[in-house]
């Protein structure tokens, strides 16, 4: 868990020209959301494989969420980030990028999308849930001003 106190409006990030940004409300395809959840997160510690049913349940329990989706030139989903405002507390949830596009800069772009959205709505305090990101990605989040509030160490052993 990382937190950030912000004042003022965070400007929108520049989306790399080879990508297109849409919201889930624009796409309205549960399979796209399930695909990015699985391709962008499932291989990282703390995440598992999601089903269409589990994604539907998340959408039903968080009706005010905005989910941003990033698509490549071939219209394949390559990234996502969830954004929620609960009273005055903002949440940037699970920035996800498919392995072949993972860079700290692209993760920062997704997080900045969330921060821009939240500050437009008057949010000044943000929590971010980030599971399994590597050290360079965590460093990129810290460059944005995030502080680690809770850091959980996990170990995994694949048994035969």
């Amino acid at each position: 868990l990382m937190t950030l106190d912000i004042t003022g409006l965070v400007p929108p990030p520049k989306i790399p020209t080879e990508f297109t940004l849409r919201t889930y409300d624009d796409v309205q395809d549960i399979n796209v959301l399930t695909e990015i959840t699985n391709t962008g997160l499932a291989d990282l510690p703390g995440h598992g494989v999601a089903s269409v049913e589990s994604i539907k349940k998340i959408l039903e329990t968080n009706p005010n969420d905005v989910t941003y989706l990033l698509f490549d030139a071939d219209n394949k989903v390559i990234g996502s980030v969830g954004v929620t405002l609960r009273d005055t507390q903002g949440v940037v949830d699970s920035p996800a990028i498919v392995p072949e596009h993972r860079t700290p800069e692209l993760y920062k772009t997704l997080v900045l999308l969330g921060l821009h959205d939240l500050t437009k709505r008057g949010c000044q305090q943000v929590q971010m849930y980030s599971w399994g990101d590597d050290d360079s990605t965590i460093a990129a989040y810290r460059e944005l001003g995030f502080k680690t509030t809770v850091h959980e160490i996990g170990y995994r052993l694949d048994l035969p």
Side-chain angles (χ1 to χ4, degrees):
L1 175 67
M2 301 183 87
T3 58
L4 174 67
D5 292 323
I6 44 182
T7 57
L9 183 67
V10 173
K14 294 184 180 185
I15 305 298
T17 56
E18 66 270 27
F19 301 126
T20 304
L21 178 68
R22 297 184 204 130
T23 67
Y24 178 73
D25 286 346
D26 294 334
V27 174
Q28 287 293 312
D29 185 344
I30 193 76
N31 294 310
V32 169
L33 197 52
T34 305
E35 177 185 344
I36 190 54
T37 300
N38 287 327
T39 58
L41 294 173
D43 66 318
L44 298 175
H47 297 278
V49 175
S51 66
V52 169
E53 292 76 25
S54 66
I55 297 298
K56 282 182 183 177
K57 186 174 181 175
I58 290 169
L59 291 174
E60 290 167 4
T61 58
N62 297 300
N64 296 323
D65 281 359
V66 177
T67 300
Y68 291 98
L69 300 167
L70 204 55
F71 293 86
D72 68 10
D74 296 324
N75 205 33
K76 179 176 166 39
V77 64
I78 61 101
S80 70
V81 65
V83 180
T84 303
L85 183 60
R86 298 180 183 129
D87 298 319
T88 60
Q89 178 71 53
V91 176
V92 175
D93 193 20
S94 299
I97 300 174
V98 296
E100 60 269 25
H101 288 286
R102 284 185 188 147
T103 65
E105 287 304 311
L106 197 52
Y107 275 108
K108 275 173 64 171
T109 298
L110 289 176
V111 172
L112 283 168
L113 277 167
L115 295 177
H116 174 71
D117 177 291
L118 290 166
T119 58
K120 281 193 321 186
R121 296 192 266 163
C123 180
Q124 294 182 342
Q125 188 176 54
V126 178
Q127 293 181 334
M128 181 171 57
Y129 295 94
S130 172
W131 294 86
D133 289 323
D134 66 23
D135 291 341
S136 63
T137 301
I138 298 299
Y141 297 154
R142 288 187 178 130
E143 288 173 12
L144 295 174
F146 279 93
K147 293 181 177 25
T148 302
T149 306
V150 176
H151 185 182
E152 296 181 5
I153 305 291
Y155 297 94
R156 183 172 122 184
L157 174 63
D158 293 324
L159 299 174

